């Protein structure tokens, strides 16, 4: 029982990332009708926002201390982040919390990137065949990841979580198991809650605001909304920006779990597509549900007991499930009729 | 299928054959390394030709063809290990297994069309790649890649009494080593005939011929009909699935053959050949040359492999020389910008090229040639004849 609970917990953070990326993909797909192969690259850009913020905040002042010497007899270099030198204890805290702070940077950056991408490239492809959309966004994804590679190098850059969130949380005691059976890294729990909050925010935005209502109306019948005198294109541009922000946030907060490198986007993209397909193309709840479901299933498949019976199942479980779902329920779990059937 | 060919096709085939056979002498002066690079031209030409039969004719965009390439490579290396160093059984089994895999994957993926199809093929290819890296390590040798070994059984070779001694064997076609080069002198020029390249070249021409026959056949016409309007085909009471599946299997066999040939020229197989970026590369080749045209994919494959070779060998020193005629500050600025695109950054060029082609020239290079040709004939003979030749060349494709 505690083993099962632990695996469910393990799947939640990865599931959260899948759900966030798949949510953005679905929004773009539902509004603009474009399959965005560059969405993984947006996830990656978000992660590198965190890297850049960390590098910026962590810039170090080097002073020579003549009272201390190194083993070679030269004065020892004292390295201290400027933030710490200028603001003392508060500055140290800011450096420590660079990953959560990077979220504040990632929102405007990703919004601009998203809007620029839609205005500069994607909008010319609404009337082109889907194959062209796939190809041009695929090309864009390569370009983005190569640019990042030339700036930050090819190696993963580890990003520590804030010290306060580096510990483990022992769930077992709270639920009546023995201590030490169900321990879980605090940051992963934070990530899960964060992803829930973002998902909730997106849904609230679409369901509760007038803007969201117009967007939903546009998803259902773009032409009629246009005839009513609403500039639906401009709203959809903003929606694309929001989807980019969601992917970027997912990436920025994921950095302490997985050290970002330039091709992390591609790895997540393939899985996120599978998530979208399993959830049902064009269905937002489906994307979220399938994201968490596949995340949890993947963590179950990587249990040693399961791997003993089906070796290698952890590598392919997601794809297998996608195949089965598509054969049994071709529209996905919560897919609607008439979406993407032409 | 009638055996008569129209005159233009015969000429095209003859011209293609001549260019392929003469390629070492035409392309070596412009920096195409021989035989390695030319072998790549031929192999990726075959790969792209096969992909074009699926994507160009039926419009199904597969993002998983690298899986069949990888399967072909592994099969060929295993054939070298178990049966014989002769490439014939190797490529036979590579084609067979490529076909089998594509039959299974195609059967499932083709139940959906459009984007779903692309994503399904992508998922399958990633699955194959992950399996090759992890569980199937006894078959694929995981990260190290599958290699030949002196202690391999090689049943047929042993039965035929061929002994390779202590050295690692080289694949050989009834005694002709695949890496051997024959030199002759003709008109004062030294001509090199590399057996590996010519082996690939013959197969490339054969594949081109088959692809041409498919394009001109009723079957090819049916595939085009699937692309242009699948619904109408269904309304007329025709089941389009078998046609699409046949195209998928044929292209899978082409990919298997290409993978097999990779192993023939260099008996090594690694999982990275199956990664989905490799699938993206063949898509790019086909698009760049012109999807749905006969010659386009081969040209696209050649252009990409050629520029990959040129660009990735550049470094800052060479760039400095290239810009040396400029003032120093400008030189440094230009070098730092262009060094992003060459050497390690070759993929950036590739991605940018990909986007430019899709945005501005969706018909690929063949479309570009056609436009230039119409433009010229319009200039020469006024508007009317230009239109006529436009129509004629459109019909020729």
């Amino acid at each position: 029982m505690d083993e099962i609970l632990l695996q469910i917990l393990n799947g939640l953070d990865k599931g959260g990332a899948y759900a966030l990326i798949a949510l953005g993909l679905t929004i773009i797909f539902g509004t603009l009708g474009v399959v965005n192969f560059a969405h993984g690259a947006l996830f990656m850009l978000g992660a590198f926002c965190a890297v850049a913020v960390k590098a910026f905040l962590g810039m170090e002042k080097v002073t020579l201390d003549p009272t201390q010497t190194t083993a070679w007899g030269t004065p020892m270099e004292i390295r201290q982040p400027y933030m710490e030198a200028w603001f003392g204890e508060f500055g140290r805290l800011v450096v420590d919390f660079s990953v959560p702070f990077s979220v504040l940077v990632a929102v405007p950056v990703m919004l601009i990137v998203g809007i620029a991408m839609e205005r500069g490239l994607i909008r010319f492809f609404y009337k082109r065949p889907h194959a062209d959309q796939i190809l041009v966004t695929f090309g864009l994804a390569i370009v983005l990841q190569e640019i990042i590679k030339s700036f930050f190098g090819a190696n993963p850059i580890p990003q520590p979580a804030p010290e306060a969130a580096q510990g483990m949380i022992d769930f077992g005691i709270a639920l009546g198991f023995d201590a030490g059976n169900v321990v879980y890294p605090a940051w992963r729990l934070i990530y899960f809650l964060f992803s829930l909050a973002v998902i909730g925010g997106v849904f609230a935005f679409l369901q509760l605001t007038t803007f969201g209502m117009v967007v939903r109306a546009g998803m259902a019948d773009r032409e009629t909304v246009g005839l009513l005198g609403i500039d639906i294109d401009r709203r959809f541009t903003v929606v694309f920006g929001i989807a980019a922000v969601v992917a970027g946030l997912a990436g920025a907060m994921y950095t302490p779990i997985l050290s970002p490198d330039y091709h992390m986007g591609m790895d997540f993209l393939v899985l996120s597509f599978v998530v979208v397909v399993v959830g049902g193309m064009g269905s937002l709840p489906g994307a979220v549900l399938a994201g968490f479901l596949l995340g949890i299933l993947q963590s179950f498949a990587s249990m040693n007991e399961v791997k003993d019976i089906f070796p290698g199942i952890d590598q392919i479980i997601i794809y297998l499930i996608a195949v089965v779902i598509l054969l049994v329920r071709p529209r996905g779990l919560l897919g609607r009729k008439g979406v993407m059937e032409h | 299928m009638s055996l008569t060919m129209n005159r233009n096709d015969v000429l095209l085939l003859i011209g293609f054959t001549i260019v392929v056979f003469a390629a070492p002498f035409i392309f070596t002066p412009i920096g195409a390394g021989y035989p390695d690079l030319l072998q790549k031209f031929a192999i990726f030409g075959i790969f792209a030709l096969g992909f074009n039969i699926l994507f160009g004719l039926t419009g199904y965009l597969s993002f998983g063809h690298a899986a069949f390439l990888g399967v072909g490579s592994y099969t060929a290396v295993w054939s070298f290990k178990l049966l014989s160093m002769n490439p014939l059984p190797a490529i036979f089994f590579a084609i067979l297994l490529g076909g089998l895999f594509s039959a299974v994957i195609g059967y499932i993926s083709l139940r959906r069309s459009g984007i779903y199809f692309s994503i399904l093929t992508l998922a399958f290819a990633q699955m194959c790649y992950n399996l090759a890296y992890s569980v199937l390590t006894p078959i694929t040798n995981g990260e190290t890649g599958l290699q030949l070994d002196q202690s391999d059984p090689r049943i047929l070779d042993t039965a035929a009494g061929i002994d390779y001694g202590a050295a690692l064997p080289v694949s050989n076609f009834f005694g002709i080593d695949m890496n051997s080069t024959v030199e002759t002198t003709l008109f004062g020029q030294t001509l090199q005939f590399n057996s590996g390249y010519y082996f690939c070249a013959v197969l490339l021409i054969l594949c081109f011929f088959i692809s041409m026959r498919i394009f001109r056949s009723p079957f090819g016409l049916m595939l085009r009909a699937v692309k242009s309007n699948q619904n109408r085909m269904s309304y007329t009471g025709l089941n389009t699935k078998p046609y699409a599946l046949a195209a998928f299997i044929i292209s899978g066999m082409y990919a298997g053959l290409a993978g097999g040939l990779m192993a023939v020229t260099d008996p090594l197989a690694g999982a990275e050949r199956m990664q989905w970026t490799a699938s993206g590369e063949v898509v790019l080749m086909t698009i760049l040359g012109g999807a749905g045209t006969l010659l386009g994919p081969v040209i696209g494959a050649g252009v990409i492999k050629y520029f990959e070779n040129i660009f990735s060998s550049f470094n800052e020193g060479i760039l400095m020389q290239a810009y040396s005629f400029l003032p120093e500050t400008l030189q440094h600025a230009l070098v730092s910008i262009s060094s992003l695109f060459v050497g390690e950054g070759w993929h950036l060029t590739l991605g940018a090229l990909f986007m430019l082609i899709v945005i501005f020239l969706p018909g690929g290079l063949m479309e570009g040639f056609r436009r230039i040709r119409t433009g010229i004939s319009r200039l020469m003979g006024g508007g009317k004849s230009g239109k006529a030749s436009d129509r004629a060349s459109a019909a020729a494709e």
Side-chain angles (χ1 to χ4, degrees):
Chain A
M1 183 62 210
D2 47 349
E3 185 75 6
I4 292 173
L5 187 72
L6 187 65
Q7 294 308 328
I8 291 178
L9 284 173
N10 273 338
L12 285 180
D13 59 312
K14 208 162 209 183
Y18 293 156
L20 285 178
I21 304 174
L23 189 66
L25 273 175
T26 310
I27 292 175
I28 292 175
F29 188 73
T31 50
L32 307 170
V34 170
V35 188
N36 184 15
F37 262 60
H39 212 67
L42 293 173
F43 177 77
M44 184 262 309
L45 281 184
F48 276 90
C49 278
V51 175
V53 167
K54 166 98 190 315
F56 179 72
L57 290 179
M59 273 196 290
E60 283 168 334
K61 183 168 117 183
V62 182
T63 42
L64 293 179
D65 186 352
T67 57
Q68 289 170 288
T69 50
T70 58
W72 296 277
T74 52
M76 192 181 253
E77 288 182 352
I78 306 288
R79 294 176 173 271
Q80 190 185 30
Y82 278 110
M83 289 300 280
E84 211 176 310
W86 294 340
F87 300 109
E89 191 58 17
F90 172 72
R92 207 188 59 76
L93 214 65
V94 169
V95 175
D96 187 35
F97 276 79
S98 71
V99 171
F101 271 121
S102 66
V103 166
L104 299 178
V105 179
V107 171
V109 168
M110 296 310 292
L111 194 66
I112 292 168
V113 168
I115 289 176
M117 208 170 127
E118 200 272 344
R119 285 289 92 184
L121 181 72
I122 309 278
R123 74 180 166 124
F124 301 108
F125 279 79
Y126 293 152
K127 299 231 159 66
R128 300 269 290 264
H130 281 301
D132 283 5
Q133 298 172 351
I134 293 178
L135 294 170
V136 81
T137 47
F138 179 65
L140 181 67
I142 297 175
V143 168
L144 287 177
Q145 84 178 33
E146 289 301 318
I147 290 174
I148 289 294
K149 184 178 155 195
S150 67
F151 274 107
F152 292 93
N155 294 326
I157 306 166
Q159 300 291 308
E163 230 174 281
Q166 275 175 356
M168 305 289 269
I169 295 177
D170 201 331
F171 271 103
I173 301 170
L175 296 168
F177 299 116
D178 293 335
N181 268 346
V182 187
V183 285
Y184 191 61
W187 184 260
R188 293 185 171 223
L189 189 71
I190 292 173
Y191 190 84
F192 169 61
L193 295 176
F194 173 79
S195 64
L196 281 190
V198 174
I199 291 166
V202 170
F203 273 92
F205 177 73
L206 287 176
Q207 298 291 333
L208 303 179
T209 63
T210 321
F211 191 102
M213 189 183 70
V214 173
V215 169
R216 277 185 297 131
M219 279 169 90
D221 189 342
R222 182 182 185 141
E223 213 164 307
T224 311
V225 175
L227 288 175
L228 290 172
I230 294 168
D231 186 356
I232 194 74
D233 280 357
R234 219 176 59 207
R235 317 225 167 192
F236 280 178
T237 306
V238 176
V239 168
F240 194 97
I242 291 172
V245 169
V246 170
L249 290 183
M253 289 290 278
Y254 206 69
T255 48
I257 301 174
L258 179 76
S259 304
D261 54 15
Y262 70 102
H263 57 72
M264 74 187 295
M266 289 285 189
D267 305 341
F268 270 83
L269 179 75
V270 181
L271 291 172
S272 303
F273 268 127
V274 175
V275 167
V276 172
V277 169
V278 169
M281 218 112 178
S283 159
L284 297 179
V288 175
L289 178 73
F292 283 112
L293 203 64
L294 291 183
I296 291 169
L297 276 175
Q298 202 179 21
S299 89
F300 270 108
S302 47
M303 281 166 71
N304 282 332
E305 290 87 340
V306 180
K307 272 204 274 193
D308 286 344
I309 308 170
F310 308 103
I313 188 81
D314 55 322
Q315 301 284 333
I316 56 166
I317 176 95
I318 287 192
Y319 306 113
L320 272 186
I321 286 171
V323 169
V324 171
I325 292 269
L326 277 182
L327 295 183
V328 181
R329 279 184 69 93
R331 283 195 193 99
L333 290 176
L334 302 176
R336 285 176 295 141
K337 197 179 175 201
V339 177
M340 265 328 292
E341 309 219 319
H342 302 293
Chain B
M1 205 199 286
S2 70
L3 279 172
T4 52
M5 288 172 69
N6 97 30
R7 199 171 55 93
N8 282 343
D9 282 358
V10 176
L11 287 179
L12 181 62
L13 188 65
I14 292 172
F16 185 78
T17 310
I18 292 171
V19 170
V20 169
F21 276 132
F25 320 113
I26 303 173
F27 295 122
T28 313
I30 58 166
Y34 180 63
D36 293 355
L37 189 61
L38 283 170
Q39 279 169 358
K40 272 191 195 158
F41 282 6
I43 291 169
F44 279 93
I46 292 174
F47 192 19
L49 270 176
F51 185 78
N52 188 40
I53 290 175
L54 179 71
F55 177 57
L57 289 182
T58 67
Y60 278 95
L61 175 58
S62 159
F63 250 95
H65 261 54
F68 310 132
L69 189 82
V71 166
S73 280
Y74 283 125
T75 316
V77 176
W78 271 112
S79 158
F80 288 144
K81 285 168 87 76
L82 297 180
L83 293 174
S84 157
M85 287 307 291
N86 194 318
L88 278 189
I91 60 172
F92 171 75
F93 284 112
I95 295 173
L96 189 72
L97 249 81
L100 274 178
F101 266 74
S102 56
V104 174
I105 292 179
Y107 180 76
I108 299 172
S109 307
L110 281 167
R111 298 179 69 128
R112 311 292 294 156
S113 60
I115 297 162
Y116 284 99
F117 174 80
S118 300
I119 295 173
L120 268 177
T121 46
L122 178 60
F124 272 116
Q126 278 303 95
M127 192 160 112
C128 293
Y129 169 70
N130 283 345
L131 283 177
Y133 247 117
S134 57
V135 202
L136 296 180
T137 305
I139 302 175
T140 62
N141 206 10
E143 268 181 66
T144 333
L146 193 60
Q147 288 162 344
L148 296 180
D149 195 65
Q150 288 165 20
S151 57
D152 289 332
R154 287 190 285 276
I155 304 168
L156 293 180
D157 283 358
T158 321
I162 305 168
D163 187 24
Y164 293 101
L168 261 189
V170 177
S171 55
N172 63 85
F173 185 64
F174 300 113
I176 309 169
D177 280 356
M178 276 297 137
N179 58 3
S180 69
T181 304
V182 182
E183 283 193 23
T184 53
T185 315
L186 191 71
F187 306 125
Q189 296 259 317
T190 318
L191 301 183
Q192 296 184 323
F193 293 94
N194 178 277
S195 50
Y197 171 69
Y198 280 97
F199 188 75
C200 297
V202 169
L203 285 167
L204 173 65
I205 290 162
L206 196 67
C207 285
F208 184 74
F209 175 70
I210 295 172
S211 145
M212 182 187 259
R213 296 306 295 174
I214 290 175
F215 267 63
R216 304 286 183 249
S217 67
F219 171 69
L221 204 60
M222 198 64 95
L223 295 182
R224 275 179 231 243
V226 170
K227 181 181 188 176
S228 61
N229 197 335
Q230 194 162 6
N231 280 340
R232 188 181 287 176
M233 297 297 288
S234 316
Y235 293 155
T236 54
L238 185 110
N239 186 5
T240 56
K241 282 284 133 60
Y243 290 96
L245 183 61
F248 195 90
I249 294 174
I250 292 171
S251 70
M253 288 161 89
Y254 269 72
L257 171 63
L261 283 178
M262 278 183 172
V264 168
T265 52
D266 181 17
L268 226 167
E272 72 283 346
R273 268 177 208 169
M274 305 171 99
Q275 215 170 7
W276 72 295
T277 41
S279 305
E281 203 180 3
V282 71
V283 179
L284 175 57
M285 288 169 182
T286 312
I287 303 266
L288 176 68
T293 62
L294 254 178
L295 209 51
V298 186
I299 296 177
V303 168
I304 288 192
K305 283 293 151 194
Y306 177 71
F307 281 106
E308 179 180 15
N309 192 47
I310 301 277
F311 272 56
S312 48
S313 65
F314 274 16
N315 55 29
E316 280 195 14
I318 297 178
L319 282 177
M320 279 298 205
Q321 274 180 356
Y323 291 121
S324 56
F325 61 92
L326 292 167
E328 196 159 318
T329 44
L330 201 62
Q331 181 188 359
H332 280 284
L334 274 178
V335 165
S336 56
I337 291 173
S338 26
S339 64
L340 281 179
F341 290 90
V342 298
E344 291 273 294
W346 149 249
H347 280 103
L348 182 59
T349 321
L350 196 71
L353 185 71
F354 208 124
M355 287 173 69
L356 290 177
I357 287 288
V358 178
I359 295 170
F360 295 111
L361 207 61
L365 289 177
M366 294 301 274
E367 164 86 13
F369 294 149
R370 197 170 64 77
R371 278 190 204 168
I372 292 170
R373 210 164 55 203
T374 17
I376 290 173
S377 60
R378 208 166 271 165
L379 277 178
M380 305 294 250
K384 216 170 184 184
S385 65
K387 256 182 204 155
S389 74
D390 194 358
R391 221 176 298 132
S393 53
E397 278 158 26

